[in-house]
Structures are given as structure tokens and as C-alpha cells.
Amino acid sequence: MSTSTKPVQQLERVVIRFAGDSGDGMQLTGDRFTSDAAFHGNDLSTLPNFPAEIRAPQGTIHGVSSFQLHIADHDVLTPGDQPDVLVAMNPAALKANLADLPRGATVIVDTDEFSKRNLNKVGYAVSPLEDGSLESYHLHALPLTSITVEALADHPLTRKDKERAKNMFALGLLSWLYTRPTATTERFIQSKFGKKPDLLAANIAALRAGFNYGETTEDFAHAYQVSPASMPPGTYRNITGNVALSYGLVAAAQRAGLRLVLGSYPITPASDILHTLSGLKRFDVTTLQAEDEIAGVGIAIGASFGGALGVTTTSGPGLALKSEAIGLAVSLELPLVVVDVQRGGPSTGLPTKTEQADLLQALYGRNGESPVAVVAPQSPTDCFDAAIEASRIATTYRTPVILLSDGYLANGSEPWRIPRVGDLPEFPVEFATEPNGLDEAGNPVFLPYLRDPQTLARPWAVPGTPGLEHRIGGIEKADITGNINYEPDNHERMTRLRAEKIARIADTIPDLEIDDPDGDARLLLIGWGSTYGSIRQAARQARLTGHHVATTHLRHLNPFPRNTGEVLRRYERVIMPEMNLGQCAMLLRAAYLVDIHSHTAVRGLPFKAAELAELVRSTVDGLEAAQ
């Protein structure tokens, strides 16, 4: 595309939200704008938001799908609290999102969709485009559908197919408005519609028509430019949390020298992990789509017994169904990675919304004393590293590890610097290959529960290895020999050994790191999982107004890092934001007898940084006033 002839205003950042019916292609539009921004070199963060129904009610607020992205010339931590620009494809999209806009925001609407019928669907007695209710915004009321159809007049498509290309027209217009390159989107369209030349030509034409419309119309006096962000040198790509997690699992299996086997039943928002891994067979990956959640985890446990890295993926409802089998893996003491991409609950709950409410289920949602390790990534790109860490723990300590992602991380995206393979941690697995003990007669024998003195991990013997036959199953085993044993003292010993094994993981995880630039903060914000970005951004904002605050973040939730208690006791006030009703705060109070103040929300959305920043300011002011 040619350079704009209109004036170009420089911006440090902008938050854009595309919104419309589920069938309007808002997720695709947002994803393509994101890819173009990443190609341009901006740092970014995204927040897709869509209904759970496959065919959500058209033209209603309940059926609105949106995609928000935050692009900047500096490092970005959140998708933004408020959109600077809203592209609303119908009255429902406008009404559902208008309350989130600050005064002075830009609003672009498709006037063709503001019919009396569509207005009535969402309770507008009079069109908001005509009653003056949008006077505090920069409104651009454009007949996007009509212009798109007119631009495609020479293309041999039905009117309905031409109308469907309006999202590409809108994307072209926003690409001009923010001087985004469109080359990557054109390549995407060519790959997507390469076998359908009419659709290929029409979508590229609509994209270019939208771009040219911005240049020629008098509706926009100037364009905007957000310069590339300064980032460490390297090769970058835009990546979602689910894809990053998938790549992390593959990298972990390669570094451990194992085959990766995924047993999974599709469930929102975890299904993309199954989809991604199914395309990576060339890396010795086997994926099996199971008939249900129980079968999925059974496949993974069987794979681990057979000498592979067994993985199963799910969300909260599926984790509940897998609970007995995870307990079996605890008893067998085999490596197992269980990925729980959390969503709103209980039951079916909010399948496409985010939440952090599975922590207690991950820790305690099994019968008996059934300890497992729990790890949580903090950002979409960190899902890669967290997957490697979960796999390292599982294979080193021969234990199930639950990896707690969530819908915000899974569907959100950000630039990822592709690591060098040589920089990735290496943790090769050593299988048992020969007997490791003697029986009463002095003959060589395999002792399946003879433990490593440091990790307490038992030997991992691949079935079929001569001389290493041993019994497995859910009934309690005798220490060392692995024979079935009902003795009270043995059960006490095995229960405590399994718990101690998890506790010893803390020997190989890093201490909590504190971000306290001035070193004199009295308030600590502590988080886990996807609250990381909001907490760090809130701290930034609070520090700009002279409010000193420290932050830290938990990746390992069982066990906690060794210095956790020391860190918590260092501060006069500790606040923990969580997207649940205070689950981790309760665990920290119980473990360290420190008064953790919970700040909770269960709205299906991540915290707004401004909300947390105001919490910091009021808390710090209160502490200072109490002196």
C-alpha cells in the first residue's frame, strides 16, 4: 500500500476493539490486525471475547463478539483497560461496548446495520446515531456494508458473499488509519482462499478498498502512527498462549529425549492445544482425540507407563472428571502433565470467559492424600516456558503436574522471541535398564519403589525390559518392593513419602523475585497466573504518582518457593488480586500465618490495571496516614 498523503500523527500507544455479530469475522479481523502490528514491530497484547454458542443470536447483545488489542512503541503488559477506538458493526456491538469507552474515543459504526429492526433488538427506541447520545465521542458513521458491496460490483459473487467481506473492508480502513502494512494479511488471504479464486480476489479487493477509502474520504483528516517498540534482538512471531504451550510441550519432550503423547477430549478453551499438537507429528508427537475426559487421561497415563511424556489437556469440568485417574498416577508415581485451561464455572459456567477458580481443585480435588505439583504461566508467551517447567518436574520427580493456564492466556497473544534450542533447559530421562536390588536368596531383582535419595523419584522402567517386570495399579504398594500392601505403617510411610517428594521440588525452583525499585515499599502486590500483567501495569501507574509498591508473582503453587514466607513477612500490607474468591490468598495465610488481603473478581474478564492502581494508591495513602 502507498504511503498516506494526509498528515500523520504520532502516538505512543492505542487500544482498538473490533465488535460485531459472531458471524461478522471480528476474531479474524482482530487477529489479522494483530499480525500486521507484530510484523510492523509493535509490542502488543490482545483480548478476544466471544459468546459460547456456535450460533449465537444474531443482532443481540448476547451474540456480540469482540477482539481488543493494545499496540505500543514500548513494552505492553495488558490488552488495555479502555478502547481508544471502537469499530461496531451493528447496534448490539455499539450498545454492548459503549460503556467501556472513555470520552473522546473514536467510534466507527456501520450505518447499514442500524435498521429499525436491529435497533429494536437491543432496546434502542431511537438510533443513537441521531439522538445526540454519542456527542462526546468522535463518531464516524459509515455505510461499510454498502461501500463494500459497491467495491465488489465487478466480482462474480452473491450479494451475501460480498457483504461478508465487510470485515476486510473495515480491516483495510483501520490499517490505513494506523499506517499498518497489509502485506501479511494479503498473504494470509491468499493461503486461505487459494483454492477459491473468486473469494480470494474479492477479499483482497475489499481490504484494498477499505485502505483506499481512508486515504480518499473526508471523514478522516489524518492518519496515526505507532512506531515499532524497542525489543531485544532476535526473531519474533506473534503467538497465542495455547500455541506457545503446545510448542513448550514439544520442546520439553525433545529436551527430555522422549516421545510426546497427548490424550485429549476437546473442550473450550483448551482445544487449540490438541489442534496444534496434531500438526506436529514430525517432532515425534502422537495425538489421540479420546471419546471422553477419562479416556484422555487414561491414554496419557498409559503412554507414561510405556516410556513417553504423557500429556492430557482440559478445562475445569474435565479436570473434575479426570480426578480419579490423576490419583492413580500419584499412586503409580509416573510422569504426567495435566493442562487445565481454566474458564468460568461452576459446571458449564462461562466456557469462553476466563477465571482462576480451579486452584483448589488442582491441589485437593482427589480422594485421599494425593499431592501433585502445580505450575501457572503468567503470560501467553510464558506458557512456553511453563510447559517446559511442568514437564521437567514431572519427569524428574515422577509425578503428575497440573499446569494452570486460563482462557485469557490461552486466546490472548503477544510477540514471542523464538529461543535458541541450545538455550533451553535439558533434562534427559534415564530409564531403568537392569535390576537394582537383590531378593532374599541373593538373586538380582527390580525394586520399583527404590527411590532416588535426593528427589525421592522411583525408577522408570519401560514395559518389556528384561528382568524389570513389576506390578502397577491403584491399590497401595509396599515401599521399595512395590508389592500390594495394606499394612497401616506402610500406608503412613508411602503417604508421607509422596508428600515429601512434592515438597522437595522446592529445592530446584527459583526463589520469589521482588520488584521494588525504591526498596522502601510498605505494600506488596502478589499474584499468580494471568494477573501478572495487570499487577505490573498497576504498579507502574501508581509509582508515577509517587506511591511506592512492591510486586512479586508466583509461578509454582505447589510447592511454593522456599522464600515465600520471608517475602510476605517483609511488608506491612500484602494484597493478592485473584480471579476467584481468594483461593491462593487462603493457602498463603494457612501456610505462613500472614494476613493476606484478598482483592477478587469473577467477571470472566481480567483485572483492569487502573482499578488495581487505585487500590494501591488508597492503600498506601492509608498506611501513611496511620503513622
Side-chain angles (χ1 to χ4, degrees):
M1 296 295 181
S2 59
T3 304
S4 174
T5 59
K6 295 181 180 180
V8 177
Q9 181 178 338
Q10 196 72 25
L11 299 176
E12 293 182 353
R13 53 175 290 279
V14 67
V15 179
I16 301 170
R17 183 182 296 177
F18 298 93
D21 272 330
S22 292
D24 285 338
M26 294 297 94
Q27 302 303 317
L28 175 63
T29 305
D31 181 69
R32 296 320 311 161
F33 194 94
T34 300
S35 295
D36 289 337
F39 184 80
H40 182 64
N42 297 125
D43 199 9
L44 59 91
S45 179
T46 70
L47 178 63
N49 193 358
F50 45 88
E53 292 82 2
I54 295 174
R55 294 184 179 274
Q58 191 172 9
T60 67
I61 291 178
H62 187 62
V64 171
S65 173
S66 68
F67 190 106
Q68 181 168 306
L69 67 151
H70 180 186
I71 61 174
D73 63 4
H74 53 273
D75 63 313
V76 167
L77 293 169
T78 75
D81 289 351
Q82 296 178 303
D84 302 301
V85 181
L86 172 66
V87 180
M89 304 301 278
N90 59 20
L94 178 64
K95 190 166 188 178
N97 293 282
L98 192 59
D100 293 338
L101 300 183
R103 293 184 179 276
T106 296
V107 179
I108 301 173
V109 299
D110 182 5
T111 57
D112 289 326
E113 294 297 322
F114 279 69
S115 64
K116 185 175 181 179
R117 181 171 180 268
N118 285 344
L119 291 168
N120 288 337
K121 280 185 180 181
V122 293
Y124 278 130
V126 179
S127 172
L129 307 183
E130 301 169 358
D131 65 2
S133 61
L134 301 178
E135 287 182 352
S136 59
Y137 306 100
H138 295 294
L139 176 64
H140 299 275
L142 310 174
L144 297 178
T145 303
S146 299
I147 299 174
T148 303
V149 171
E150 183 179 349
L152 303 180
D154 296 333
H155 291 259
L157 299 176
T158 66
R159 180 178 177 86
K160 188 173 183 179
D161 284 337
K162 292 176 181 177
E163 290 177 352
R164 286 175 176 163
K166 65 183 179 182
N167 67 324
M168 288 295 106
F169 183 93
L171 177 58
L173 174 59
L174 267 293
S175 297
W176 173 84
L177 187 59
Y178 290 95
T179 57
R180 301 293 88 190
T182 60
T184 56
T185 293
E186 292 197 16
R187 288 196 293 270
F188 169 81
I189 293 172
Q190 288 169 354
S191 64
K192 183 176 179 64
F193 297 112
K195 296 181 180 179
K196 299 178 180 179
D198 290 343
L199 289 176
L200 168 62
N203 277 277
I204 288 181
L207 179 72
R208 292 176 176 175
F211 191 97
N212 292 332
Y213 181 83
E215 178 66 19
T216 58
T217 184
E218 295 181 0
D219 278 293
F220 299 95
H222 54 262
Y224 301 92
Q225 170 72 45
V226 180
S227 297
S230 177
M231 295 183 179
T235 301
Y236 287 80
R237 59 156 291 179
N238 192 50
I239 199 167
T240 66
N242 272 347
V243 174
L245 198 152
S246 303
Y247 290 174
L249 291 171
V250 175
Q254 293 287 314
R255 301 304 276 174
L258 300 174
R259 183 175 189 175
L260 175 64
V261 177
L262 173 73
S264 182
Y265 179 77
I267 183 172
T268 302
S271 300
D272 280 345
I273 301 172
L274 170 61
H275 301 158
T276 302
L277 288 176
S278 66
L280 299 174
K281 295 181 176 62
R282 62 190 181 278
F283 295 109
D284 206 13
V285 175
T286 299
T287 56
L288 295 98
Q289 181 171 317
E291 65 269 26
D292 57 38
E293 295 282 5
I294 299 171
V297 68
I299 289 168
I301 293 172
S304 288
F305 177 57
L309 176 59
V311 180
T312 188
T313 55
T314 190
S315 190
L319 185 63
L321 292 170
K322 296 178 190 291
S323 61
E324 183 180 5
I326 296 172
L328 172 63
V330 171
S331 176
L332 301 180
E333 301 192 42
L334 284 171
L336 175 68
V337 177
V338 181
V339 179
D340 175 12
V341 185
Q342 302 166 95
R343 69 191 204 188
S347 187
T348 309
L350 304 173
T352 59
K353 311 300 181 184
T354 195
E355 204 162 276
Q356 290 182 298
D358 293 349
L359 176 57
L360 294 183
Q361 180 183 203
L363 285 168
Y364 304 118
R366 293 164 299 282
N367 62 298
E369 293 289 344
S370 186
V372 300
V374 179
V375 176
Q378 65 189 27
S379 67
T381 56
D382 188 50
C383 287
F384 177 85
D385 297 310
I388 294 177
E389 174 66 353
S391 302
R392 179 194 71 82
I393 293 172
T395 55
T396 302
Y397 292 87
R398 314 284 199 265
T399 181
V401 179
I402 296 181
L403 181 57
L404 285 180
S405 180
D406 63 46
Y408 169 37
L409 299 183
N411 297 317
S413 63
E414 59 186 1
W416 176 53
R417 185 172 65 163
I418 300 172
R420 293 177 61 255
V421 173
D423 294 336
L424 299 177
E426 194 169 16
F427 39 95
V429 168
E430 293 185 7
F431 291 106
T433 57
E434 57 187 23
N436 58 356
L438 300 174
D439 63 15
E440 294 178 356
N443 300 312
V445 66
F446 178 58
L447 302 173
Y449 284 88
L450 183 65
R451 300 174 183 278
D452 180 279
Q454 288 186 317
T455 65
L456 297 183
R458 77 175 186 88
W460 193 359
V462 175
T465 305
L468 303 192
E469 298 83 359
H470 61 286
R471 181 184 288 109
I472 67 167
I475 297 178
E476 184 67 279
K477 304 297 184 294
D479 188 25
I480 300 178
T481 67
N483 296 326
I484 291 176
N485 190 300
Y486 294 95
E487 294 296 324
D489 288 346
N490 178 76
H491 179 56
E492 172 93 10
R493 176 171 175 75
M494 293 296 279
T495 299
R496 294 188 180 279
L497 279 170
R498 289 188 288 261
E500 175 63 19
K501 181 172 66 170
I502 298 301
R504 289 193 184 187
I505 294 171
D507 294 338
T508 60
I509 64 177
D511 283 349
L512 276 181
E513 294 184 0
I514 308 299
D515 177 32
D516 185 3
D518 299 307
D520 59 355
R522 300 164 66 187
L523 169 65
L524 172 70
L525 281 187
I526 183 171
W528 68 275
S530 64
T531 58
Y532 173 81
S534 299
I535 289 173
R536 293 296 296 269
Q537 182 62 29
R540 277 184 185 176
Q541 294 178 11
R543 288 165 184 161
L544 290 175
T545 55
H547 293 79
H548 296 183
V549 58
T551 66
T552 191
H553 210 75
L554 290 163
R555 164 179 277 183
H556 297 87
L557 299 165
N558 196 35
F560 291 126
R562 293 285 191 200
N563 69 331
T564 302
E566 173 194 340
V567 168
L568 297 176
R569 296 185 189 100
R570 192 182 305 171
Y571 294 90
E572 187 174 341
R573 182 70 55 85
V574 180
I575 298 178
M576 181 164 228
E578 292 183 80
M579 292 185 291
N580 55 47
L581 296 184
Q583 295 184 15
C584 192
M586 180 181 69
L587 295 170
L588 291 174
R589 288 190 205 104
Y592 303 107
L593 303 180
V594 174
D595 188 12
I596 311 296
H597 294 256
S598 283
H599 181 78
T600 64
V602 281
R603 302 174 58 247
L605 295 168
F607 283 104
K608 291 185 176 180
E611 169 195 344
L612 297 183
E614 183 55 35
L615 174 66
V616 169
R617 294 187 187 103
S618 62
T619 302
V620 171
D621 289 344
L623 291 173
E624 292 177 352
Q627 281 186 323

